[in-house]
Amino acid sequence: MTYYEHPAISNSKLNWFARSPYYYKRMCQSPDEPTASMEFGTAFHMYVLEPNLFNDNYIVHEKFDRRTKAGKEHYNNMMDLAASGKKRLISDADLERIKWMSNSLIDNPAALALLPTGLDSVKNNRIESEIYFNYKGGGLNMKCKSKIDYIQFLTEKYDDTDVNIIDLKTTQSITSFKSSYKYKFAYYRQAAFYRLAALSQGLNVKDFYFVVVETQYPHESAVFKVGQWDMEKGTNDVHDLLCGLHTCIEEDYFPMYGHDIREGYS
């Protein structure tokens, strides 16, 4: 069973539940297919965090017009080639964009200091760490999971557990990321959820950082540190959502957001 197939509660599932219990249940039953932007983000993550694996997982193709007979034939041949090697397709244009974005991170000293280099990609299982844990706050006992981009150990001592957690994000603009942080995707809550996962492994999380890079030219990058107030709010929100989810599961009742009559918006 892969990480994504495992039924434990992830941060993404908490986002579904935060939208509505009904939405959570339906998404668990039939999740959306990955969008093009999500597929691009996955490729970018591997290129930056696991460059040694990129060529083993992707086949680069030039642009072709699938509206023409030749384009369709070429596309089908590329798909067959990818399937035979269990690889994914990525266009040369997208790969070029990924390289520009990666260079932006390299040119940003704050970002570069928080990203893995050299042997970091294979040492201490720091990259794309899958953590399964039981959340037991408030008398609950709920199976949870997280997949953390990068756990940065702060010293080389074998028994030292002080770490930073780094999450790599792509965004259309740094300005729009600020909105996603607070509202659309509640990234502060993601930070708290990942911190709980790391704590369950005996790690002492010193700081949590989002390393963010724009998908559009000129691909500016920035680093955001999650503050103590945001971390505390995120932790409380995680607890409240898990309590609500537990109740829905126990009662087998997943109401819609608008299951009752509302006054409307003013």
Side-chain angles (χ1 to χ4, degrees):
M1 180 183 297
T2 67
Y3 172 82
Y4 295 103
E5 294 169 338
H6 197 285
I9 306 302
S10 64
N11 178 68
S12 295
K13 290 183 178 181
L14 281 186
N15 285 341
W16 297 345
F17 188 77
R19 177 166 173 173
S20 82
Y22 179 86
Y23 186 81
Y24 166 87
K25 184 175 183 178
R26 290 293 177 259
M27 290 297 289
C28 286
Q29 293 172 336
S30 181
D32 287 338
E33 291 294 322
T35 64
S37 61
M38 292 170 64
E39 293 282 8
F40 178 84
T42 298
F44 175 69
H45 270 68
M46 182 169 288
Y47 187 88
V48 173
L49 298 175
E50 301 174 295
N52 55 310
L53 300 180
F54 189 84
N55 289 335
D56 293 334
N57 285 271
Y58 285 92
I59 293 179
V60 182
H61 67 84
E62 69 278 12
K63 184 178 180 180
F64 47 80
D65 189 350
R66 292 170 59 185
R67 296 172 297 180
T68 67
K69 181 179 179 180
K72 289 179 181 178
E73 183 177 347
H74 183 61
Y75 173 77
N76 290 332
N77 289 338
M78 293 299 297
M79 288 295 290
D80 291 342
L81 181 62
S84 65
K86 296 182 178 179
K87 296 185 178 183
R88 301 171 181 171
L89 292 180
I90 186 170
S91 69
D92 51 5
D94 277 347
L95 180 58
E96 186 67 18
R97 185 155 55 115
I98 283 174
K99 290 179 178 180
W100 276 100
M101 293 165 63
S102 177
N103 287 336
S104 172
L105 297 175
I106 293 173
D107 291 340
N108 185 330
L112 186 61
L114 294 171
L115 292 173
T117 57
L119 293 177
D120 282 343
S121 59
V122 295
K123 187 170 56 178
N124 292 338
N125 193 30
R126 298 175 175 182
I127 309 298
E128 300 288 358
S129 300
E130 298 179 7
I131 299 177
Y132 299 87
F133 64 103
N134 290 323
Y135 179 81
K136 297 185 177 181
L140 298 177
N141 186 16
M142 302 191 71
K143 189 71 174 180
C144 297
K145 64 179 180 179
S146 68
K147 192 171 186 179
I148 300 175
D149 285 348
Y150 181 39
I151 300 176
Q152 182 187 53
F153 285 79
L154 299 182
T155 74
E156 294 300 321
K157 295 180 181 178
Y158 177 77
D159 59 347
D160 198 328
T161 59
D162 288 348
V163 301
N164 289 331
I165 295 179
I166 292 89
D167 193 81
L168 181 62
K169 295 290 188 192
T170 59
T171 183
Q172 286 190 339
S173 71
I174 300 299
T175 302
S176 67
F177 176 81
K178 294 177 181 179
S179 175
S180 297
Y181 177 87
K182 288 186 176 181
Y183 306 111
K184 185 176 181 180
F185 297 114
Y187 286 144
Y188 69 92
R189 189 173 66 230
Q190 176 195 348
F193 189 80
Y194 284 11
R195 177 178 175 272
L196 290 171
L199 292 175
S200 74
Q201 305 302 299
L203 299 176
N204 180 32
V205 180
K206 305 297 288 185
D207 290 304
F208 192 110
Y209 298 93
F210 287 106
V211 176
V212 187
V213 60
E214 295 177 339
T215 57
Q216 306 298 321
Y217 186 82
H219 308 297
E220 279 198 86
S221 58
V223 175
F224 297 92
K225 176 181 174 181
V226 178
Q228 181 178 350
W229 187 90
D230 281 347
M231 190 65 77
E232 291 176 357
K233 174 174 171 50
T235 301
N236 291 335
D237 287 357
V238 166
H239 176 75
D240 291 344
L241 288 170
L242 286 173
C243 285
L245 178 55
H246 178 266
T247 299
C248 288
I249 293 173
E250 288 291 304
E251 298 178 355
D252 192 24
Y253 178 57
F254 296 82
M256 296 183 183
Y257 173 77
H259 73 288
D260 53 3
I261 298 175
R262 299 168 181 266
E263 289 290 335
Y265 295 104
S266 57

